[in-house]
mmCIF file of all heavy atoms in Angstrom:
data_model
loop_
_atom_site.group_PDB
_atom_site.id
_atom_site.type_symbol
_atom_site.label_atom_id
_atom_site.label_comp_id
_atom_site.label_asym_id
_atom_site.label_seq_id
_atom_site.Cartn_x
_atom_site.Cartn_y
_atom_site.Cartn_z
ATOM 1 N N PRO X 1111 15.025 -35.045 9.631
ATOM 2 C CA PRO X 1111 15.057 -34.356 8.360
ATOM 3 C C PRO X 1111 16.645 -34.057 8.000
ATOM 4 O O PRO X 1111 16.979 -34.283 6.797
ATOM 5 C CB PRO X 1111 14.373 -33.115 8.568
ATOM 6 C CG PRO X 1111 13.399 -33.371 9.641
ATOM 7 C CD PRO X 1111 13.966 -34.344 10.571
ATOM 8 N N ARG X 1112 17.377 -33.556 8.816
ATOM 9 C CA ARG X 1112 18.817 -33.314 8.597
ATOM 10 C C ARG X 1112 19.548 -34.518 8.068
ATOM 11 O O ARG X 1112 20.311 -34.569 7.176
ATOM 12 C CB ARG X 1112 19.385 -32.663 9.665
ATOM 13 C CG ARG X 1112 19.016 -31.163 9.942
ATOM 14 C CD ARG X 1112 19.658 -30.590 11.123
ATOM 15 N NE ARG X 1112 19.316 -29.168 11.348
ATOM 16 C CZ ARG X 1112 20.032 -28.186 11.159
ATOM 17 N NH1 ARG X 1112 21.372 -28.378 10.830
ATOM 18 N NH2 ARG X 1112 19.644 -26.881 11.362
ATOM 19 N N LEU X 1114 18.178 -37.360 6.916
ATOM 20 C CA LEU X 1114 17.729 -37.908 5.578
ATOM 21 C C LEU X 1114 18.185 -36.991 4.460
ATOM 22 O O LEU X 1114 18.511 -37.525 3.365
ATOM 23 C CB LEU X 1114 16.248 -38.057 5.663
ATOM 24 C CG LEU X 1114 15.634 -39.016 6.550
ATOM 25 C CD1 LEU X 1114 14.131 -38.812 6.792
ATOM 26 C CD2 LEU X 1114 16.064 -40.362 6.065
ATOM 27 N N ASP X 1115 18.178 -35.650 4.618
ATOM 28 C CA ASP X 1115 18.724 -34.835 3.588
ATOM 29 C C ASP X 1115 20.208 -35.124 3.259
ATOM 30 O O ASP X 1115 20.723 -34.958 2.137
ATOM 31 C CB ASP X 1115 18.405 -33.406 3.990
ATOM 32 C CG ASP X 1115 17.134 -32.961 3.745
ATOM 33 O OD1 ASP X 1115 16.315 -33.721 3.191
ATOM 34 O OD2 ASP X 1115 16.703 -31.921 4.405
ATOM 35 N N THR X 1125 16.872 -33.650 -6.873
ATOM 36 C CA THR X 1125 15.647 -33.058 -6.086
ATOM 37 C C THR X 1125 14.352 -33.663 -6.827
ATOM 38 O O THR X 1125 13.553 -34.047 -6.090
ATOM 39 C CB THR X 1125 15.657 -31.596 -6.052
ATOM 40 O OG1 THR X 1125 16.840 -31.084 -5.395
ATOM 41 C CG2 THR X 1125 14.440 -31.031 -5.325
ATOM 42 N N ARG X 1127 13.971 -36.413 -8.378
ATOM 43 C CA ARG X 1127 13.839 -37.789 -8.104
ATOM 44 C C ARG X 1127 13.217 -37.995 -6.668
ATOM 45 O O ARG X 1127 12.270 -38.736 -6.354
ATOM 46 C CB ARG X 1127 15.090 -38.507 -8.232
ATOM 47 C CG ARG X 1127 15.475 -38.770 -9.631
ATOM 48 C CD ARG X 1127 14.589 -39.445 -10.460
ATOM 49 N NE ARG X 1127 15.168 -39.962 -11.710
ATOM 50 C CZ ARG X 1127 14.376 -40.479 -12.740
ATOM 51 N NH1 ARG X 1127 13.089 -40.501 -12.646
ATOM 52 N NH2 ARG X 1127 14.991 -40.895 -13.926
ATOM 53 N N LEU X 1128 13.789 -37.168 -5.673
ATOM 54 C CA LEU X 1128 13.246 -37.206 -4.334
ATOM 55 C C LEU X 1128 11.794 -36.746 -4.305
ATOM 56 O O LEU X 1128 10.998 -37.460 -3.534
ATOM 57 C CB LEU X 1128 14.095 -36.333 -3.460
ATOM 58 C CG LEU X 1128 15.618 -36.758 -3.306
ATOM 59 C CD1 LEU X 1128 16.366 -35.524 -2.597
ATOM 60 C CD2 LEU X 1128 15.621 -38.086 -2.409
ATOM 61 N N ASP X 1129 11.431 -35.769 -4.908
ATOM 62 C CA ASP X 1129 10.094 -35.345 -5.106
ATOM 63 C C ASP X 1129 9.140 -36.302 -5.592
ATOM 64 O O ASP X 1129 7.999 -36.562 -5.299
ATOM 65 C CB ASP X 1129 10.024 -33.882 -5.844
ATOM 66 C CG ASP X 1129 10.493 -32.838 -5.231
ATOM 67 O OD1 ASP X 1129 10.878 -32.888 -3.965
ATOM 68 O OD2 ASP X 1129 10.901 -31.734 -5.840
ATOM 69 N N GLN X 1130 9.611 -36.921 -6.810
ATOM 70 C CA GLN X 1130 8.772 -37.953 -7.402
ATOM 71 C C GLN X 1130 8.690 -39.228 -6.564
ATOM 72 O O GLN X 1130 7.666 -39.826 -6.639
ATOM 73 C CB GLN X 1130 9.562 -38.374 -8.688
ATOM 74 C CG GLN X 1130 8.893 -39.408 -9.660
ATOM 75 C CD GLN X 1130 9.592 -39.693 -10.904
ATOM 76 O OE1 GLN X 1130 10.668 -39.129 -11.173
ATOM 77 N NE2 GLN X 1130 9.069 -40.524 -11.628
ATOM 78 N N ALA X 1131 9.655 -39.362 -5.678
ATOM 79 C CA ALA X 1131 9.573 -40.595 -4.773
ATOM 80 C C ALA X 1131 8.787 -40.387 -3.601
ATOM 81 O O ALA X 1131 8.513 -41.327 -2.785
ATOM 82 C CB ALA X 1131 10.998 -41.076 -4.425
ATOM 83 N N GLY X 1132 8.353 -39.217 -3.308
ATOM 84 C CA GLY X 1132 7.411 -38.814 -2.225
ATOM 85 C C GLY X 1132 8.017 -38.334 -1.014
ATOM 86 O O GLY X 1132 7.516 -38.461 0.195
ATOM 87 N N ARG X 1133 9.099 -37.504 -1.139
ATOM 88 C CA ARG X 1133 9.766 -36.927 -0.055
ATOM 89 C C ARG X 1133 8.902 -36.053 0.769
ATOM 90 O O ARG X 1133 8.822 -36.140 2.037
ATOM 91 C CB ARG X 1133 10.979 -35.995 -0.435
ATOM 92 C CG ARG X 1133 11.742 -35.369 0.724
ATOM 93 C CD ARG X 1133 12.841 -34.487 0.185
ATOM 94 N NE ARG X 1133 13.612 -33.864 1.307
ATOM 95 C CZ ARG X 1133 13.189 -32.732 1.876
ATOM 96 N NH1 ARG X 1133 12.081 -32.141 1.465
ATOM 97 N NH2 ARG X 1133 13.930 -32.259 2.849
ATOM 98 N N GLU X 1134 8.129 -35.154 0.227
ATOM 99 C CA GLU X 1134 7.179 -34.228 0.946
ATOM 100 C C GLU X 1134 6.065 -35.041 1.704
ATOM 101 O O GLU X 1134 5.753 -34.628 2.870
ATOM 102 C CB GLU X 1134 6.567 -33.066 0.079
ATOM 103 C CG GLU X 1134 7.646 -32.155 -0.430
ATOM 104 C CD GLU X 1134 8.350 -31.450 0.728
ATOM 105 O OE1 GLU X 1134 7.671 -31.140 1.714
ATOM 106 O OE2 GLU X 1134 9.508 -31.304 0.525
ATOM 107 N N ALA X 1135 5.614 -35.997 0.965
ATOM 108 C CA ALA X 1135 4.432 -36.765 1.597
ATOM 109 C C ALA X 1135 5.042 -37.555 2.844
ATOM 110 O O ALA X 1135 4.255 -37.557 3.879
ATOM 111 C CB ALA X 1135 3.976 -37.828 0.664
ATOM 112 N N PHE X 1136 6.378 -37.982 2.743
ATOM 113 C CA PHE X 1136 6.833 -38.788 3.915
ATOM 114 C C PHE X 1136 7.072 -37.736 5.008
ATOM 115 O O PHE X 1136 6.571 -38.100 6.190
ATOM 116 C CB PHE X 1136 8.211 -39.343 3.554
ATOM 117 C CG PHE X 1136 8.835 -39.804 4.688
ATOM 118 C CD1 PHE X 1136 8.596 -41.080 5.309
ATOM 119 C CD2 PHE X 1136 9.969 -39.098 5.418
ATOM 120 C CE1 PHE X 1136 9.134 -41.542 6.407
ATOM 121 C CE2 PHE X 1136 10.542 -39.612 6.477
ATOM 122 C CZ PHE X 1136 10.156 -40.826 7.009
ATOM 123 N N PHE X 1137 7.583 -36.544 4.931
ATOM 124 C CA PHE X 1137 7.757 -35.594 5.962
ATOM 125 C C PHE X 1137 6.399 -35.248 6.555
ATOM 126 O O PHE X 1137 6.356 -34.889 7.724
ATOM 127 C CB PHE X 1137 8.557 -34.403 5.491
ATOM 128 C CG PHE X 1137 10.059 -34.789 5.479
ATOM 129 C CD1 PHE X 1137 10.777 -34.638 4.248
ATOM 130 C CD2 PHE X 1137 10.672 -35.161 6.628
ATOM 131 C CE1 PHE X 1137 12.206 -35.070 4.213
ATOM 132 C CE2 PHE X 1137 12.146 -35.505 6.570
ATOM 133 C CZ PHE X 1137 12.843 -35.383 5.441
ATOM 134 N N GLU X 1138 5.472 -35.034 5.798
ATOM 135 C CA GLU X 1138 4.154 -34.517 6.235
ATOM 136 C C GLU X 1138 3.584 -35.695 7.047
ATOM 137 O O GLU X 1138 2.947 -35.408 8.050
ATOM 138 C CB GLU X 1138 3.194 -34.423 5.060
ATOM 139 C CG GLU X 1138 1.884 -33.828 5.334
ATOM 140 C CD GLU X 1138 1.889 -32.485 5.959
ATOM 141 O OE1 GLU X 1138 2.849 -31.649 5.580
ATOM 142 O OE2 GLU X 1138 1.065 -32.122 6.772
ATOM 143 N N SER X 1139 3.828 -36.933 6.797
ATOM 144 C CA SER X 1139 3.279 -38.078 7.544
ATOM 145 C C SER X 1139 3.858 -38.170 8.925
ATOM 146 O O SER X 1139 3.332 -38.656 9.845
ATOM 147 C CB SER X 1139 3.358 -39.368 6.817
ATOM 148 O OG SER X 1139 4.813 -39.804 6.709
ATOM 149 N N VAL X 1140 5.163 -37.748 9.133
ATOM 150 C CA VAL X 1140 5.848 -37.831 10.432
ATOM 151 C C VAL X 1140 5.966 -36.491 11.085
ATOM 152 O O VAL X 1140 6.337 -36.485 12.274
ATOM 153 C CB VAL X 1140 7.259 -38.436 10.114
ATOM 154 C CG1 VAL X 1140 7.185 -39.857 9.573
ATOM 155 C CG2 VAL X 1140 8.178 -37.454 9.335
ATOM 156 N N ARG X 1141 5.528 -35.396 10.519
ATOM 157 C CA ARG X 1141 5.725 -34.044 11.084
ATOM 158 C C ARG X 1141 4.822 -34.024 12.457
ATOM 159 O O ARG X 1141 5.204 -33.257 13.352
ATOM 160 C CB ARG X 1141 5.186 -33.048 10.151
ATOM 161 C CG ARG X 1141 5.497 -31.652 10.517
ATOM 162 C CD ARG X 1141 5.447 -30.715 9.503
ATOM 163 N NE ARG X 1141 6.386 -30.918 8.529
ATOM 164 C CZ ARG X 1141 6.271 -30.995 7.126
ATOM 165 N NH1 ARG X 1141 4.970 -31.033 6.623
ATOM 166 N NH2 ARG X 1141 7.214 -31.199 6.301
ATOM 167 N N THR X 1161 11.954 -45.901 2.187
ATOM 168 C CA THR X 1161 10.778 -45.633 1.482
ATOM 169 C C THR X 1161 11.198 -44.577 0.309
ATOM 170 O O THR X 1161 11.641 -45.058 -0.763
ATOM 171 C CB THR X 1161 9.629 -45.079 2.277
ATOM 172 O OG1 THR X 1161 10.197 -43.913 3.081
ATOM 173 C CG2 THR X 1161 9.045 -46.049 3.300
ATOM 174 N N TYR X 1162 11.175 -43.332 0.648
ATOM 175 C CA TYR X 1162 11.333 -42.398 -0.480
ATOM 176 C C TYR X 1162 12.828 -42.419 -0.903
ATOM 177 O O TYR X 1162 13.063 -42.149 -2.145
ATOM 178 C CB TYR X 1162 10.727 -41.050 -0.025
ATOM 179 C CG TYR X 1162 11.697 -40.207 0.648
ATOM 180 C CD1 TYR X 1162 12.687 -39.290 0.111
ATOM 181 C CD2 TYR X 1162 11.672 -40.063 1.991
ATOM 182 C CE1 TYR X 1162 13.439 -38.513 0.794
ATOM 183 C CE2 TYR X 1162 12.567 -39.342 2.835
ATOM 184 C CZ TYR X 1162 13.423 -38.461 2.238
ATOM 185 O OH TYR X 1162 14.251 -37.766 2.908
ATOM 186 N N LEU X 1163 13.695 -42.483 -0.087
ATOM 187 C CA LEU X 1163 15.185 -42.533 -0.514
ATOM 188 C C LEU X 1163 15.460 -43.791 -1.419
ATOM 189 O O LEU X 1163 16.119 -43.576 -2.331
ATOM 190 C CB LEU X 1163 16.077 -42.456 0.617
ATOM 191 C CG LEU X 1163 16.244 -41.067 1.312
ATOM 192 C CD1 LEU X 1163 17.046 -41.069 2.575
ATOM 193 C CD2 LEU X 1163 16.874 -40.098 0.405
ATOM 194 N N ALA X 1166 13.684 -43.201 -4.708
ATOM 195 C CA ALA X 1166 14.556 -42.355 -5.646
ATOM 196 C C ALA X 1166 15.673 -42.997 -6.240
ATOM 197 O O ALA X 1166 16.084 -42.807 -7.394
ATOM 198 C CB ALA X 1166 14.837 -41.117 -4.811
#
Side-chain angles (χ1 to χ4, degrees):
R1112 285 173 180 252
L1114 291 168
D1115 284 345
T1125 301
R1127 289 300 194 194
L1128 294 170
D1129 292 341
Q1130 186 178 356
R1133 178 183 183 277
E1134 289 303 319
F1136 172 79
F1137 281 118
E1138 185 65 29
S1139 69
V1140 301
R1141 190 168 289 131
T1161 54
Y1162 83 87
L1163 281 172

